[in-house]
Amino acid sequence: MSTCATASRDLSEPLAGTAATARTWLLLEQPGPWGAKALTSSHLDPELGRVLEKAAQDTGVRIALIRRPGRHADCQATARHRVYVGHTVPGRTWLRGAELDDPRQLLDLDFAALGAGDHGGFGTPHTGDPLVLVCTNGKRDRCCALLGRPLAAALTDSGTEGAWEITHLGGHRFSPTLLVLPYGYAYGRMDAPAVKEILDAARAGRVRTEGCRGNSAWERPGQAAELAVREATGEDAADALRVVATDRAVGTDGADGVGSANQAGGAGGAGGEATHWAVTVAHVDGRRWRVTVAQEASLPPRPESCGAALGSPARMDVMAVRPLPESADGPTYEIPATVTSK
């Protein structure tokens, strides 16, 4: 059986720069079956789901439903809901949890503040193992169920306490896909041994780059650029690097640029031409790099999800990684003192 995941793997489609974008994740436990749009097609009150989606719009917060791996019979609603909120910007990451009797309590949250990194005292700090959230929603794409659910089950069977299923991470064709919190790095084409290495690294505050799609805190050019700097320098400390500028490059060398990466989800420029981004990545020790990223359409066309028409999704190819001199102007790695980070 041909699937979108098989086609992507056979074409060696690169993973870097494909993660969903979210500075902050809000995860709500909702057992039972999930529909394609789970916030409004599960045992969660659909009207509440619509209100939450609207509240999170344009705030940097991404909402998803989670459940423990296993069978998901169409049973009665759970009495209490586990909720996690995690902020993924390096240097100010945090992960907090709470149990709610009524998910409507989430409407009291300040979503703009959450997206900016201020949790406002919600819940308590998460002190357990890192969370590993495996996309398993077969109603969105069959690859997520066929490949994601066995992985989630294997992690649970092996004693991974932080294993959850999640409704949607994007990039079905990279299944099995997963997200690791608190640091916000997404991964694709995973298996259980690789996940063990990823979690061992996360416990030590480090990042495993093999199979990594990027940090959700950054737009897609920034995701690819940060991973390229890690590969070039061997830096694996999770909080060591930040993307401090992402500009549309005037020339292919990325020396200067204007614009922003907010629209970096498209396949490329007009007429299928590549769009070049000049990304500045800063280290906490003061070093900086200018990374040139070419955004272009993936060829030949392939299905972005099972049953979809053939398409040419955007890919992010790193063209150059150049250290910047200490005297060069531009933003540096700074953490605003007003941000709540515990």
Side-chain angles (χ1 to χ4, degrees):
M1 176 178 63
S2 179
T3 65
C4 64
T6 300
S8 177
R9 188 186 296 269
D10 289 348
L11 290 168
S12 300
E13 186 175 358
L15 292 167
T18 67
T21 300
R23 294 190 302 274
T24 301
W25 290 84
L26 173 58
L27 309 173
L28 169 62
E29 181 183 10
Q30 182 56 65
W34 295 333
K37 296 185 177 180
L39 274 179
T40 55
S41 53
S42 68
H43 285 310
L44 183 71
D45 177 5
E47 181 56 32
L48 174 60
R50 282 188 283 270
V51 174
L52 288 172
E53 281 185 327
K54 184 176 181 179
Q57 188 174 359
D58 299 324
T59 64
V61 178
R62 187 179 178 107
I63 305 175
L65 302 184
I66 59 174
R67 63 191 179 193
R68 285 298 190 181
R71 300 188 64 181
H72 304 291
D74 195 353
C75 55
Q76 296 296 318
T78 184
R80 307 199 77 193
H81 298 259
R82 186 68 185 171
V83 177
Y84 293 101
V85 183
H87 189 63
T88 64
V89 175
R92 38 170 141 155
T93 56
W94 47 258
L95 178 61
R96 299 175 69 89
E99 286 195 357
L100 303 181
D101 295 320
D102 187 346
R104 289 177 178 81
Q105 293 172 258
L106 295 176
L107 297 176
D108 295 331
L109 293 173
D110 183 336
F111 283 84
L114 288 178
D118 184 354
H119 54 67
F122 176 84
T124 58
H126 177 72
T127 57
D129 274 353
L131 302 187
V132 53
L133 304 136
V134 183
C135 189
T136 63
N137 190 357
K139 291 298 178 73
R140 288 197 70 98
D141 190 278
R142 66 186 179 190
C143 285
C144 297
L146 292 174
L147 301 175
R149 293 195 65 188
L151 176 59
L155 294 175
T156 297
D157 292 344
S158 69
T160 303
E161 295 182 1
W164 292 84
E165 296 184 5
I166 189 169
T167 48
H168 185 47
L169 293 174
H172 316 298
R173 64 193 184 280
F174 305 121
S175 295
T177 65
L178 57 89
L179 174 74
V180 177
L181 292 176
Y183 298 115
Y185 286 87
Y187 292 83
R189 302 183 187 132
M190 284 289 101
D191 56 30
V195 177
K196 181 181 184 303
E197 292 184 14
I198 290 166
L199 292 178
D200 287 344
R203 291 186 190 98
R206 302 195 175 277
V207 178
R208 182 183 186 269
T209 57
E210 292 85 353
C212 191
R213 299 175 61 192
N215 187 326
S216 74
W218 315 129
E219 298 290 342
R220 294 183 58 187
Q223 294 172 12
E226 186 219 338
L227 290 175
V229 171
R230 290 189 180 279
E231 292 286 352
T233 63
E235 178 60 74
D236 64 355
D239 281 336
L241 299 175
R242 295 185 69 187
V243 174
V244 295
T246 304
D247 301 312
R248 189 185 298 271
V250 173
T252 58
D253 64 352
D256 297 287
V258 294
S260 72
N262 293 336
Q263 303 300 322
E273 297 177 357
T275 299
H276 289 82
W277 300 96
V279 183
T280 305
V281 178
H283 195 287
V284 67
D285 66 9
R287 288 179 291 164
R288 289 180 296 159
W289 296 263
R290 177 66 53 81
V291 184
T292 305
V293 180
Q295 174 184 338
E296 51 194 331
S298 296
L299 295 173
R302 77 287 313 272
E304 295 189 52
S305 59
C306 290
L310 297 183
S312 297
R315 57 182 286 163
M316 303 289 160
D317 293 323
V318 173
M319 311 303 289
V321 178
R322 298 201 311 273
L324 291 175
E326 293 184 9
S327 59
D329 293 334
T332 59
Y333 189 121
E334 293 181 354
I335 303 174
T338 57
V339 171
T340 302
S341 58
K342 295 183 180 180

